[in-house]
Amino acid sequence: MESQRLRYEKISTEHFDTFYRIHSNEQVMYYAYLDKFETESEARASFEKVINSKSIVMYVVYEKESDVPIGIVEYVSDNHIADTVEIGYFLLPEFWHRGYGSEMARWMLSDYFTHTSNDRLWASCHCKNTTSEKLMIKLGFTKESVNKGARYKRGEYVDEIRYVMTRERWIKYRSNQ
């Protein structure tokens, strides 16, 4: 699967090094819901859960030109709420500010609404992650809620902002591109 400059490969056991590199990076994980992994064994345990999960679908993202892994995208379903899926995207800092985050998120929206019959998905961000919030707004997401104190990061409870994309809104957004 590909987008203009990127290739997406479903995560498998051979991708542990990329998973670890991304999830142990302080800059990448600074605003993420989870903290960065401190040890390889901690990352390995989480990686095994992802590989065996029925509620997480993860892809390693490669830059086509260099064939270098640059990030990860994921769909996380909430088994307690029917048809509820959250998307997430993580990009290594050396690839920031090149439009890859937008390309990854656009691919996820297209992939999701093309290959499922679900009518909505959501994305969330730390209240101070203005870059992620601006991306969601740029892509046509609608702000749904601010969940007060939903995340505990670096010794404090912080708000989480949730955005939603519906199939109808995605179709309108796509036709305006």
Side-chain angles (χ1 to χ4, degrees):
M1 295 174 275
E2 8 184 273
S3 55
Q4 183 180 353
R5 299 173 296 160
L6 305 173
R7 180 173 58 82
Y8 306 84
E9 193 171 301
K10 190 165 183 186
I11 202 160
S12 67
T13 54
E14 66 190 48
H15 296 113
F16 174 74
D17 290 342
T18 300
F19 179 88
Y20 181 60
R21 185 169 173 223
I22 289 168
H23 289 89
S24 64
N25 185 295
E26 179 68 37
Q27 288 177 281
V28 173
M29 300 306 289
Y30 190 80
Y31 289 123
Y33 190 78
L34 299 174
D35 291 325
K36 75 179 186 93
F37 295 128
E38 297 295 335
T39 66
E40 189 173 320
S41 62
E42 181 184 23
R44 177 83 55 198
S46 180
F47 182 73
E48 293 301 324
K49 286 180 184 175
V50 167
I51 293 293
N52 296 310
S53 177
K54 291 185 181 358
S55 62
I56 300 171
V57 177
M58 190 176 281
Y59 294 88
V60 174
V61 182
Y62 291 84
E63 185 181 54
K64 280 198 253 183
E65 186 176 301
S66 66
D67 202 35
V68 170
I70 66 167
I72 286 178
V73 295
E74 65 183 5
Y75 301 100
V76 180
S77 61
D78 185 336
N79 294 327
H80 303 289
I81 304 171
D83 299 336
T84 301
V85 173
E86 178 179 18
I87 63 169
Y89 35 86
F90 303 87
L91 186 62
L92 288 166
E94 57 266 34
F95 297 98
W96 291 357
H97 308 296
R98 297 185 193 182
Y100 288 143
S102 296
E103 187 171 336
M104 289 161 55
R106 277 190 194 95
W107 176 83
M108 292 183 78
L109 291 170
S110 179
D111 179 66
Y112 182 78
F113 287 120
T114 301
H115 295 103
T116 74
S117 60
N118 298 348
D119 287 322
R120 69 185 298 235
L121 60 71
W122 57 278
S124 63
C125 66
H126 184 291
C127 64
K128 294 178 183 174
N129 190 348
T130 56
T131 301
S132 187
E133 186 173 17
K134 285 177 186 175
L135 174 58
M136 289 182 265
I137 293 167
K138 175 182 172 181
L139 294 175
F141 280 78
T142 303
K143 190 176 195 174
E144 183 177 67
S145 64
V146 176
N147 303 315
K148 298 291 185 185
R151 295 182 181 206
Y152 188 76
K153 291 295 281 190
R154 291 173 302 287
E156 68 175 320
Y157 287 96
V158 295
D159 299 346
E160 174 183 85
I161 305 170
R162 180 179 287 193
Y163 281 80
V164 172
M165 175 64 76
T166 62
R167 179 180 298 279
E168 180 182 351
R169 190 164 175 83
W170 173 72
I171 290 168
K172 286 179 187 174
Y173 167 81
R174 193 177 64 170
S175 66
N176 290 331
Q177 291 303 298

